[in-house]
Amino acid sequence: MTSSHRDHLGRPVIAVTGLGVVTSLGTGKDDNWKALTAGQSGIHAITRFATEGLGTRIAGTVDFLNGTPETAADLSYNMAELAAGEAIGEAGLPREQFPGPLFMAVPPVELEWPQRLALDAAAAEGVEGIDRLISGAKAHNRTWPYDRFVFAGVAERTAETFGTQGAPISLSTACASGATAVQLGVEAIRRGDCEAALCIGTDGSINTESLIRFSLLSALSTKNDPPEQATKPFSKNRDGFVMAEGAGALVLESLDHALARGADVLAILAGIGEQADDFHRTRSKPDGSAVIGAIRNVLDDAGLGTDAIDYVNAHGTSTPENDKMEHLALDHVFGDDLAKMAVSSNKSMIGHTLTAAGAVEAVFSVLTMRSGRIPPTINYTEPDPDIVMDVVPNQARDADVTSVMSNSFGFGGQNVCLIMTAP
Amino acid sequence: MTSAPVDSDRDALITGIGLISGLGEGARQTHALLAGPEPARPPVEEDKFAPYPVIAMAELDLSTQIPRRGDQRQMGPWQRFGVYAAGLALDDAGIKDDEELLGRTNLIVAAGGGERDPEADALVLDATRESEDPAAALVEPLLTNLRPTLFLSQLSNLLAGNISIVHHVTGSSRTFMGEELSGAMALQVAVRRIQSGQGDLFLVGGAYNAEREDMLLFYELGHYLWQGNPAAGVWQRAEQSGGIICGSMGGFVVIESRAHAAARGAKAYARLESVATDTGPREDEAAVGARLERLAAALDGDGDDKPLGYLCGASGAKQATDMERAFIDSLSKKHDVVVRTFGSVLGHGLEAQMPVGVALAAAALDQKRYYPPFDPSDPATASDTPPDRIAVTSFGHWRGEAVAVVARAD
């Protein structure tokens, strides 16, 4: 097929034709959008496991799905299946025969404590230390499938469910993972390897150990009471992010492919931009140059100037470091134009969905354009005087939004930005 | 996915190799050790993790690639191996200290996760085992025994993160997960991006540490580990119950477009022609047959009458290795296939297996000297003519099949 719609660099134009989402606010776009534009929070006290003795006892866990998933892999898969099913349905594509490959951001998996304890209980007598687990594994007839702890497992199951083409890519770029999945899909379509791509980010990995790990890095908010006020991006009194779960799915197609089959085009995925940081494992370069580079790269890739972005769906984690750096970078790149832009953080309501965040927030970015309503940054009662920005405080706002930049930054120097425009 | 013919300026050339294993370091050094009349064998560690034999990493002077002790302390062995091998590849390509080039080098790492602390895990188990509510009892011992640096050394994308920090590779950074297939897909994406003009310069690879109980435990959950004669090669093991011998290794390659390499006067080892990957359940014979036919198609090309090198990355896991045996048998009807099973020498390195195989292939093509049989039970070992094209395979122990085709650079 010869492509007639080309972008400013002569590449196939990429259309978004399907969206799906699950967060602590609910399943599906309708419930999520209603809650998000009502300024409602999905953050609550953790009931999945005991939290006594922990500094942080709140999260945006997804607890409302049927059945209790046994592992992070199960919950991550379940949410991905819901989100991808919704997206494929909206795109009007067959549910079991997706016409392209799968790019999937998944949390790194490993054995969890319930499984370790089961193996420990099955160990031979007299075996000590960690060898007990291997002894238990030898003796044990697993009650869970091997694929629950294989890194490729969640994506393999998803690929089978939706009949995606070829081998799926499982990826992790920490908190930028969801956006990286979109990047890979865009690149594959642009270079003509495929006409469509299913891009998913999913994360259902909140358990005792993961919570403690992030706590040890002093990354999490400890303002447990009330839970819904803990995450307050761009506020002076912000004290860390709130872990959360969710999944986002996007169906991408070349615009020609979408039009040829009569699909509704929800948005154009106009640009992707990235730059890695070499400064520190968990902190950005103090001058913000890597984040600035990623933003400049996405504008160049989309062929847009600094006056062309109406709204920024911020990474906005509510950590002291991130929000300061994100503002610094936006201010540096957009200068006077920043005053005309709205910048809000979905994480004020849904928390930080980690591996899924980039995909979940890309979905909300498109919904923002389509509904003409910008979701707010809630809990904004004490503005940070060093962050002067229109953060769409506390109340959603009607606005004509034709272009959105969505930011995702992660540990390990990962910085990815996406630009979506109205069709 | 297979690639369409491309403009030769957009050929993907391998211009730098970083290779480490139980045999030591360096692509040319490793080739020399393996291509001699009496191929060297790394020592097999039989006692430390008995009954499982493993192949340990040769001694490395980490400070040559990771000069700051503070950086070394932030990583576990897996990340150190990877950062070390990546540094060797950048050195070899002559871009190690070139800020401008490093600033637009695209990094794709195939990663598992980092080492857990087995002592900490044992202490947590001791503290919770007898508890009436083990889930609640976990909190206190986890708080006491987990350390923040350990978390970072376990994060999958922090091998890439550390490569950025230590070697200043900042063009882009992607980490693919998913066992053996991730190594092949990292190479595949790099090749396709170069061929289609989506980038000129890539650093791609992975590493594996065989000396870790958490991964032996993982394999044992699927009863995948070999417990017999530690000298048994891959095919010998598969003929019995099958089994993996884990091997420590690291393989990174610098891949760049022919035009880019020529412009900076870089010498190429070889050309990475294509990478084909597929996956799916292995119980359905018809589906498996169709997948293998598609993989075999990737090997068609000019000079089908010439010998085709075949560097086999088989793990020894029974189902996967039997499947590859059938693949080789069927290929042999069409090509003069010269099989060398490097997994029988270096062991199995999951995500790193394919990058290491590609490094071995590139070194052999550059030296115009193929390897003698690694394993007396290698099927189809005939030809002595050094091949101009080498297929490198990695069939995942659980899922995923991949073939990379490496050809002479000229």
Side-chain angles (χ1 to χ4, degrees):
Chain A
M1 191 168 70
T2 47
S3 190
S4 53
H5 292 90
R6 298 268 162 176
D7 70 6
H8 68 112
L9 294 174
R11 306 169 299 193
V13 173
I14 311 287
V16 181
T17 57
L19 300 168
V21 69
V22 178
T23 73
S24 53
L25 292 171
T27 301
K29 293 190 289 285
D30 289 350
D31 284 359
N32 269 282
W33 195 244
K34 240 176 257 164
L36 209 64
T37 49
Q40 199 179 317
S41 170
I43 308 306
H44 47 256
I46 293 168
T47 54
R48 184 178 296 167
F49 50 89
T51 57
E52 210 183 301
L54 292 174
T56 296
R57 300 185 295 279
I58 55 173
T61 50
V62 170
D63 301 317
F64 48 76
L65 301 182
N66 288 339
T68 311
E70 201 177 1
T71 65
D74 287 297
L75 181 55
S76 299
Y77 171 80
N78 291 350
M79 292 188 298
E81 188 189 339
L82 287 168
E86 184 184 19
I88 291 169
E90 182 174 31
L93 290 165
R95 187 183 154 94
E96 287 166 6
Q97 222 179 344
F98 187 83
L102 170 64
F103 301 97
M104 191 156 183
V106 290
V109 293
E110 57 182 358
L111 276 186
E112 296 167 29
W113 285 101
Q115 290 81 39
R116 286 197 191 95
L117 285 160
L119 293 173
D120 182 74
E125 289 223 10
V127 184
E128 292 300 322
I130 207 68
D131 287 339
R132 287 184 59 83
L133 296 186
I134 296 182
S135 160
K138 265 190 215 169
H140 193 57
N141 288 319
R142 282 176 284 112
T143 55
W144 65 88
Y146 183 70
D147 74 9
R148 295 307 183 268
F149 302 105
V150 176
F151 284 106
V154 172
E156 285 272 346
R157 286 167 79 190
T158 309
E160 274 177 47
T161 300
F162 296 106
T164 54
Q165 294 177 352
I169 287 181
S170 304
L171 65 101
S172 174
T173 54
C175 299
S177 300
T180 302
V182 173
Q183 267 184 305
L184 286 164
V186 168
E187 286 169 352
I189 297 171
R190 279 180 179 171
R191 66 176 174 256
D193 280 355
C194 54
E195 288 291 339
L198 180 58
C199 304
I200 304 177
T202 187
D203 200 320
S205 66
I206 297 179
N207 56 38
T208 315
E209 182 169 324
S210 64
L211 186 74
I212 290 175
R213 285 181 178 199
F214 278 110
S215 292
L216 288 171
L217 294 176
S218 308
L220 301 181
S221 172
T222 54
K223 301 279 168 57
N224 295 297
D225 196 22
E228 58 275 13
Q229 288 177 20
T231 166
K232 37 192 172 300
F234 308 119
S235 291
K236 191 180 175 202
N237 55 342
R238 66 187 186 273
D239 74 323
F241 73 82
V242 174
M243 289 175 78
E245 296 177 325
L250 294 91
V251 173
L252 303 183
E253 300 178 62
S254 71
L255 181 58
D256 292 331
H257 185 265
L259 294 176
R261 66 181 191 85
D264 280 342
V265 176
L266 308 176
I268 301 299
L269 203 316
I272 54 177
E274 179 177 2
Q275 190 168 322
D277 200 325
D278 59 359
F279 179 67
H280 187 270
R281 287 158 192 84
T282 58
R283 282 185 284 131
S284 305
K285 261 185 196 144
D287 66 1
S289 54
V291 176
I292 288 167
I295 296 174
R296 288 203 166 124
N297 288 340
V298 78
L299 289 169
D300 287 350
D301 192 63
L304 295 175
T306 53
D307 57 349
I309 303 297
D310 296 329
Y311 166 60
V312 177
N313 186 306
H315 188 55
T317 56
S318 182
T319 63
E321 166 88 3
N322 174 80
D323 296 2
K324 185 179 82 179
M325 291 308 302
E326 189 166 11
H327 169 260
L328 184 150
L330 289 171
D331 190 49
H332 189 94
V333 176
F334 291 96
D336 292 344
D337 290 322
L338 184 57
K340 293 176 276 179
M341 295 157 63
V343 182
S344 74
S345 170
N346 299 157
K347 292 185 182 77
S348 63
M349 293 170 280
I350 60 170
H352 190 346
T353 56
L354 305 166
T355 300
V360 166
E361 291 165 22
V363 169
F364 290 148
S365 295
V366 175
L367 294 182
T368 302
M369 286 191 287
R370 290 185 64 73
S371 69
R373 197 160 171 77
I374 304 177
T377 303
I378 67 164
N379 301 321
Y380 191 73
T381 52
E382 287 185 47
D384 182 336
D386 295 328
I387 299 180
V388 180
M389 244 172 9
D390 172 11
V391 302
V392 194
N394 305 315
Q395 297 277 336
R397 181 194 302 157
D398 289 329
D400 187 16
V401 179
T402 59
S403 56
V404 181
M405 177 171 74
S406 179
N407 292 340
S408 296
F409 312 127
F411 286 170
Q414 314 272 184
N415 304 298
V416 182
C417 303
L418 308 174
I419 290 179
M420 287 144 282
T421 56
Chain B
M1 277 187 302
T2 52
S3 51
V6 288
D7 175 357
S8 73
D9 272 357
R10 306 263 15 127
D11 280 344
L13 302 184
I14 294 171
T15 56
I17 305 178
L19 178 61
I20 55 176
S21 71
L23 283 176
E25 69 177 65
R28 292 203 175 84
Q29 296 88 326
T30 306
H31 177 267
L33 286 169
L34 287 173
E38 286 290 321
R41 290 286 180 275
V44 179
E45 168 62 63
E46 293 181 54
D47 300 328
K48 198 167 167 187
F49 302 98
Y52 313 119
V54 302
I55 296 167
M57 184 62 76
E59 203 170 313
L60 305 172
D61 180 359
L62 289 174
S63 63
T64 58
Q65 290 297 338
I66 314 172
R68 293 181 50 212
R69 303 282 295 186
D71 283 333
Q72 291 183 29
R73 274 197 302 273
Q74 292 284 326
M75 304 180 218
W78 162 67
Q79 290 179 355
R80 289 185 204 119
F81 293 165
V83 174
Y84 190 93
L88 289 179
L90 294 170
D91 261 340
D92 193 35
I95 62 176
K96 186 68 171 294
D97 299 310
D98 189 324
E99 264 183 55
E100 191 273 324
L101 289 176
L102 293 170
R104 54 190 178 80
T105 298
N106 300 291
L107 176 62
I108 311 181
V109 173
E115 293 83 358
R116 291 186 68 86
D117 177 348
E119 282 165 27
D121 283 352
L123 289 170
V124 174
L125 284 170
D126 287 344
T128 48
R129 186 176 294 126
E130 307 296 335
S131 167
E132 282 185 16
D133 184 0
L138 279 171
V139 172
E140 207 264 311
L142 281 175
L143 276 172
T144 315
N145 290 296
L146 293 181
R147 285 175 294 116
T149 42
L150 193 63
F151 177 24
L152 292 174
S153 71
Q154 279 188 262
L155 271 184
S156 297
N157 75 306
L158 259 286
L159 169 48
N162 279 298
I163 290 171
S164 291
I165 290 167
V166 174
H167 302 310
H168 305 292
V169 175
T170 56
S172 65
S173 172
R174 316 264 174 91
T175 295
F176 292 179
M177 302 187 298
E179 291 71 38
E180 293 88 346
L181 201 51
S182 66
M185 298 197 79
L187 291 160
Q188 182 180 40
V189 168
V191 169
R192 288 297 300 133
R193 286 183 62 190
I194 288 173
Q195 289 174 343
S196 66
Q198 286 180 339
D200 282 314
L201 188 56
F202 287 76
L203 173 65
V204 185
Y208 190 69
N209 171 26
E211 293 188 273
R212 49 187 290 196
E213 275 144 327
D214 51 0
M215 283 304 294
L216 294 173
L217 167 62
F218 164 76
Y219 275 130
E220 186 54 85
L221 286 169
H223 306 304
Y224 281 114
L225 288 172
W226 179 249
Q227 302 178 40
N229 171 15
V234 161
W235 306 108
Q236 244 177 305
R237 283 181 254 146
E239 274 163 23
Q240 300 170 52
S241 56
I244 295 168
I245 297 177
C246 295
S248 292
M249 60 184 75
F252 272 82
V253 284
V254 172
I255 314 176
E256 61 186 300
S257 67
R258 186 183 293 279
H260 191 272
R264 69 178 191 94
K267 181 189 169 305
Y269 282 90
R271 176 169 64 93
L272 193 43
E273 185 181 298
S274 65
V275 184
T277 57
D278 215 334
T279 189
R282 288 175 171 162
E283 287 68 37
D284 178 348
E285 271 187 39
V288 168
R291 289 211 300 276
L292 294 187
E293 259 179 52
R294 286 197 296 271
L295 275 192
L299 301 176
D300 292 344
D302 298 337
D304 278 348
D305 50 331
K306 291 188 191 159
L308 175 68
Y310 189 106
L311 281 174
C312 173
S315 63
K318 184 154 182 67
Q319 191 184 31
T321 307
D322 285 350
M323 190 176 164
E324 184 158 9
R325 182 77 182 224
F327 181 65
I328 292 169
D329 288 346
S330 115
L331 269 187
S332 302
K333 291 174 191 151
K334 189 164 178 190
H335 301 271
D336 178 11
V337 188
V338 197
V339 178
R340 304 290 186 255
T341 308
F342 66 94
S344 289
V345 181
L346 300 181
H348 190 59
L350 263 89
E351 296 85 7
Q353 194 77 349
M354 178 60 94
V356 163
V358 165
L360 291 171
L365 290 162
D366 175 59
Q367 298 292 307
K368 299 187 174 64
R369 187 167 179 197
Y370 197 50
Y371 302 99
F374 292 151
D375 181 338
S377 58
D378 267 345
T381 55
S383 180
D384 286 330
T385 324
D388 294 339
R389 279 173 100 221
I390 300 175
V392 183
T393 65
S394 180
F395 281 36
H397 72 281
W398 169 71
R399 284 279 179 94
E401 302 94 31
V403 181
V405 181
V406 191
R408 276 176 50 163
D410 42 19

